[in-house]
Amino acid sequence: MPGDRVVDTIRDATASLHSQTGTAETLEEIVLQARRCLPEFEHVSVSRIHADGSLETLAATTDLARSFDEVQSSSHEGPCVEATEEELVVVRGARHEQRWPTYIGRATRLGLQSQIGVRLRSDSHGVLCLNLHSTTSSTIDP
C-alpha cells in the first residue's frame, strides 16, 4: 500500500538522522533524506540566516541548491527569508511569482520552477531553514 511506503520512508529517514554523530553529518543527512522523501525537489539545502540577513549554506544536495541560496542571500529576499516557524512559504509556477522580484528573476534564470522554504529553528546563531527547489515541475502536490 502507498501509505505503508510513506511510513517506511519516514521511519528509515528518522533512523538515519538519529545515527549521525555530529552537526555537519546531521545536516547532510537532513538534505539527503529530504531529497529522498520528496523526489519532486531535486535541489535541497539547509541554510543559516545571519543577523545581517546573509545566508550561509550549511548542507546541500547540489551546487544549484547552493546557487539558489546565494541568490536569496544577495537579494535579501525569497521563500527561506520569509518563512516563519508557524508557516512555510510555497512557490508554485515561479515564472508567475510576484513576491521577491529580484530573487525570482535571478532564480528562474537558473531554472527554478517551484520552491518551498521551511524555517526549522531560530536561536542565537541565526535562523535555520530548509530549502526545497524544483527545476522540473512548477506544481507542488499538496
Side-chain angles (χ1 to χ4, degrees):
M1 295 180 71
D4 292 341
R5 278 185 266 138
V6 170
V7 170
D8 289 344
T9 299
I10 292 169
R11 187 176 293 125
D12 292 348
T14 302
S16 183
L17 284 172
H18 283 290
S19 70
Q20 303 309 309
T21 58
T23 301
E25 294 83 6
T26 299
L27 293 173
E28 287 294 330
E29 194 62 27
I30 287 170
V31 297
L32 291 173
Q33 291 301 329
R35 172 70 182 99
R36 182 175 151 251
C37 294
L38 301 165
E40 62 271 29
F41 297 101
E42 310 87 0
H43 313 282
V44 180
S45 66
V46 170
S47 306
R48 174 177 287 135
I49 303 174
H50 295 281
D52 66 0
S54 64
L55 268 76
E56 172 189 10
T57 303
L58 303 175
T61 58
T62 64
D63 288 338
L64 189 52
R66 291 179 184 282
S67 295
F68 289 130
D69 284 356
E70 289 170 15
V71 173
Q72 285 191 94
S73 182
S74 65
S75 66
H76 296 282
E77 61 182 31
C80 176
V81 175
E82 294 293 320
T84 67
E85 290 179 6
E86 295 80 30
E87 192 171 334
L88 52 86
V89 177
V90 177
V91 175
R92 293 177 179 90
R95 293 199 180 280
H96 305 289
E97 180 60 58
Q98 299 296 307
R99 300 170 287 180
W100 327 293
T102 302
Y103 171 70
I104 289 297
R106 292 173 58 195
T108 55
R109 284 192 292 280
L110 291 172
L112 183 70
Q113 292 197 29
S114 62
Q115 179 176 347
I116 297 177
V118 182
R119 183 171 289 199
L120 299 175
R121 69 178 279 168
S122 302
D123 61 24
S124 62
H125 302 289
V127 176
L128 285 181
C129 294
L130 177 68
N131 295 286
L132 305 160
H133 306 94
S134 178
T135 55
T136 60
S137 177
S138 62
T139 61
I140 297 173
D141 183 349

